[in-house]
Amino acid sequence: MQDPTLDLKVIHLVRDPRAVASSRIRSRHGLIRESLQVVRSRDPRIHRMPFLDAGHKLGGKKEGGGGSDYHALGAMEVICSSMAKTLQTALHPPDWLQGNYMAVRYEDLVVEPIKTLRQVYGFVNLAVSPEMEKFALNMTSGPGYSSKPFVVSARNATQALSAWRTALSYQQIKQVEEYCHQPMALLGYERVVSPEEVKDLSRTLLRKPRL
């Protein structure tokens, strides 16, 4: 970052941690080993936040993925802790980072693809081609929303943004929010206060980010 011959810039793509958790649970079989590695990488000196659902035991036979869901949610604690440190650095950047870091919310990219794409390209002093703008529009205005993990395809942006609100239980949502409240606050992702609020898809949970 400090090498003047590189002129390196960082574009940090972020997404609502609750949507990330939902995606990890949906991809439980493909990510179970990775989730285990993430959980095991946690600093043992730091007090581990307990599960809000005290009955959700490791490897328990519960509805859904059981132990794999447990690890997927547990990984979010490590992921969000790391993200919080990164965002705090970006919020109070050292000299070498000033003007060289940009956070991009996935939600902004799919809701306002052209505007966000132009901002990203402008950040790295490039012009967006008409072909790229057309591609961005096509990828965010597809006919549906695929439930298959690791599939890149055109999709309905609105459905993609709100999928976690119907896929996760209220208990799972509150667990992720407990783990991820710091980066969520910085990035403008509002926490929910009731199961009814989660299911009310007419209410956006986005506000202006602090970054």
Side-chain angles (χ1 to χ4, degrees):
M1 289 294 293
Q2 299 184 66
D3 187 339
T5 65
L6 294 179
D7 191 23
L8 183 66
K9 293 180 182 289
V10 174
I11 298 173
H12 184 188
L13 180 63
V14 298
R15 190 177 185 184
D16 190 322
R18 294 163 296 194
V20 175
S22 178
S23 180
R24 294 184 73 90
I25 289 175
R26 193 172 70 249
S27 312
R28 60 173 65 93
H29 299 301
L31 291 176
I32 181 62
R33 291 182 180 178
E34 192 268 352
S35 292
L36 274 167
Q37 289 175 337
V38 172
V39 171
R40 289 168 178 168
S41 71
R42 191 181 186 282
D43 189 338
R45 296 171 297 180
I46 300 176
H47 174 67
R48 182 167 190 122
M49 198 176 297
F51 261 80
L52 298 179
D53 179 2
H56 194 160
K57 301 300 182 182
L58 180 62
K61 298 295 184 180
K62 298 197 70 175
E63 182 180 353
S68 58
D69 285 11
Y70 180 97
H71 292 307
L73 287 177
M76 294 305 301
E77 181 180 15
V78 183
I79 291 169
C80 284
S81 175
S82 177
M83 184 185 294
K85 293 177 183 177
T86 298
L87 295 174
Q88 283 295 336
T89 301
L91 197 61
H92 306 285
D95 292 341
W96 52 267
L97 193 60
Q98 290 185 16
N100 294 321
Y101 173 92
M102 179 184 191
V104 179
R105 293 193 304 190
Y106 168 84
E107 291 78 10
D108 296 329
L109 189 59
V110 297
V111 172
E112 299 183 294
I114 301 301
K115 176 183 176 181
T116 308
L117 198 62
R118 288 174 177 173
Q119 291 174 340
V120 170
Y121 271 64
F123 174 66
V124 293
N125 301 316
L126 293 174
V128 186
S129 68
E131 292 80 11
M132 180 57 73
E133 291 186 351
K134 182 179 179 180
F135 174 78
L137 282 174
N138 288 340
M139 290 298 287
T140 55
S141 57
Y145 175 67
S146 173
S147 61
K148 295 180 180 180
F150 311 119
V151 174
V152 179
S153 62
R155 58 180 57 188
N156 182 295
T158 303
Q159 290 184 31
L161 293 186
S162 59
W164 66 266
R165 297 173 73 166
T166 54
L168 296 180
S169 69
Y170 185 65
Q171 199 71 26
Q172 289 173 324
I173 291 170
K174 297 308 292 182
Q175 187 70 58
V176 175
E177 290 181 347
E178 193 71 15
Y179 286 155
C180 304
H181 61 93
Q182 289 181 318
M184 285 179 64
L186 290 174
L187 295 170
Y189 297 118
E190 291 187 0
R191 301 173 74 170
V192 296
V193 297
S194 69
E196 292 72 27
E197 186 179 27
V198 175
K199 304 306 179 186
D200 182 7
L201 301 184
S202 66
R203 185 186 184 284
T204 179
L205 297 173
L206 290 174
R207 55 179 170 77
K208 187 176 180 179
R210 291 173 55 187
L211 288 175

